[in-house]
Amino acid sequence: MVVAASVVVAVGTVTGMMSALDDRARSDEAGPPEVTRSPSLQSPPIVPPPSPSATKSPAPASPSPTSASPTPKKKAGPTPSPTATERKQQPTVVSARLYRHPDSKVLAWVRDNAGDPRHAVIASRIAAQPAAVWFADFTPATITARVRAVTAGGSASGRVPVVVPYAIPDRDCGGHSEGGAPDLDAYDAWIDRFAAGLGSGDVIVVLEPDSVAQSECLSAAERADRFASLARAGRVLKAANPKARVYYDAGHSGWNAPGKQAAWLRQAGAASTASSDGVFSNVSNFHTTAAEIAYDRQVLDALGGPASLGAVIDTSRNGAGAPADGEWCDPVGRKLGRAPTLATGEARIDGYLWVKLPGESDGCRGKPGTFTASYAYDLAR
């Protein structure tokens, strides 16, 4: 979703070359890898559907797999503009501790398009960064092996992988990213198999984006059942690998009030160290790092758990903050955020992660979920 690159780019030169390019093309999109192969350490994980945590308004009809209208999420206003310090902290150095999985759509595009004038910028500023690996399909027979492929790669390289289980039933409330397990019993069994692939090394688990923040579409009873299943999931994951750090869905700073979000998170097990290491926010969204730091600390304070609980923030596309009109679908003018790292220098902020891979379209700049070079280039230059 990420080998450090040794390429040094003259961005102004590349920008000039770009003026003659259009978005035709074989060279502009890379779709998801084939997922029907037998699992092995080289098999790519399933890739996520488009922008699961984008702040949505009801969308017009699109060629999505479902004809149902997506349930709108709270439309967020803009966050404060990034500070001068934030603007200077665009990604330049790859973290020495986070893992970059060798199978991703951006890497496939980079391998296949060496002659594209956008290649050097995309390779050095996006493909070289470590990023999360999503598991968005319900495939119980292969999930253990595919998770193990990622965690084993991280252990072998001495780096920390970030994995995203994304198969909760009624995912995305019937929106663009709908899907998941058929019911909670099946989900619980899938999580057991997911946990079996975590190995014994350090690993970060971003547990089910949107599963808490977007639960208002469920009835009170359905929500309670989901939260019980999420609490169980955290316990299972941490029991399978005591080094696993599990983070729960806090939405983002433009969505639910901190107190409301914390109350739901408490029900979902996020306040207990038996199941949780804290919360995550801003997945697939655009709110500034400063806004998310303030919001996450408010959520953690309201959550009331032990002081050891922290937060991780998706900084992949938040370098310019959220758009003023609340647009969620590949909005123009966005930029890469801070480079992924586990050394933030901020109290209770455990990491800046790239959970949503920059350049993977929300469905407006390219087909949903595909890597779209024109979008990636605009984010990176």
Side-chain angles (χ1 to χ4, degrees):
M1 329 216 46
V2 288
V3 171
S6 59
V7 179
V8 177
V9 182
V11 176
T13 301
V14 176
T15 302
M17 295 170 68
M18 280 302 300
S19 63
L21 285 179
D22 60 22
D23 286 343
R24 345 183 237 282
R26 294 194 305 255
S27 67
D28 203 54
E29 289 190 358
E34 177 60 48
V35 298
T36 57
R37 293 181 284 175
S38 299
S40 71
L41 288 185
Q42 285 70 46
S43 296
I46 300 299
V47 294
S51 280
S53 270
T55 305
K56 299 178 184 176
S57 300
S62 70
S64 77
T66 175
S67 59
S69 298
T71 301
K73 301 180 187 179
K74 181 177 179 181
K75 187 170 182 175
T79 52
S81 298
T83 64
T85 299
E86 258 192 306
R87 287 193 293 269
K88 291 178 182 177
Q89 289 179 316
Q90 299 302 303
T92 55
V93 179
V94 176
S95 166
R97 295 191 60 201
L98 286 164
Y99 177 59
R100 173 194 153 285
H101 189 56
D103 282 312
S104 72
K105 285 177 279 187
V106 62
L107 286 170
W109 185 90
V110 166
R111 285 192 297 266
D112 294 343
N113 295 279
D116 192 297
R118 299 165 291 195
H119 183 275
V121 168
I122 291 172
S124 62
R125 293 179 62 77
I126 296 178
Q129 298 291 348
V133 181
W134 292 65
F135 299 86
D137 64 331
F138 181 71
T139 53
T142 62
I143 190 63
T144 300
R146 290 187 292 110
V147 173
R148 186 179 293 126
V150 177
T151 57
S155 294
S157 64
R159 299 193 177 203
V160 182
V162 179
V163 294
V164 185
Y166 188 58
I168 198 79
D170 300 312
R171 186 177 68 199
D172 200 30
C173 292
H176 288 309
S177 299
E178 70 174 351
D183 55 51
L184 287 173
D185 287 340
Y187 178 73
D188 292 347
W190 184 85
I191 280 289
D192 291 346
R193 296 189 179 200
F194 188 102
L198 288 179
S200 58
D202 291 327
V203 59
I204 292 171
V205 183
V206 174
L207 180 61
E208 297 293 342
D210 291 346
S211 60
V212 178
Q214 200 187 13
S215 63
E216 205 149 33
C217 66
L218 305 174
S219 70
E222 290 169 336
R223 189 159 52 244
D225 288 344
R226 173 183 283 191
F227 291 168
S229 191
L230 288 170
R232 177 192 180 276
R235 293 193 300 269
V236 167
L237 294 164
K238 292 183 72 65
N241 179 358
K243 289 186 176 181
R245 283 173 279 175
V246 180
Y247 294 89
Y248 280 74
D249 171 39
H252 57 68
S253 58
W255 202 342
N256 296 318
K260 177 180 180 177
Q261 190 68 27
W264 281 350
L265 283 162
R266 198 176 305 112
Q267 294 175 53
S272 169
T273 55
S275 53
S276 171
D277 292 271
V279 302
F280 64 83
S281 72
N282 210 41
V283 168
S284 296
N285 220 280
F286 306 93
H287 296 273
T288 64
T289 303
E292 292 306 299
I293 289 172
Y295 173 74
D296 289 342
R297 286 173 177 164
Q298 290 178 308
V299 171
L300 289 168
D301 287 345
L303 187 59
S308 61
L309 297 181
V312 293
I313 298 168
D314 187 354
T315 59
S316 60
R317 305 189 297 181
N318 74 342
D325 61 1
E327 177 58 61
W328 64 269
C329 187
D330 301 335
V332 298
R334 302 312 97 198
K335 297 298 177 185
L336 301 178
R338 299 188 187 191
T341 183
L342 298 180
T344 69
E346 294 282 353
R348 305 201 82 179
I349 306 301
D350 296 344
Y352 303 136
L353 308 177
W354 281 15
V355 183
K356 169 77 172 182
L357 183 63
E360 291 191 1
S361 177
D362 300 325
C364 293
R365 291 289 295 268
K367 295 177 183 177
T370 58
F371 178 81
T372 304
S374 58
Y375 183 34
Y377 182 78
D378 286 349
L379 289 166
R381 61 179 173 173

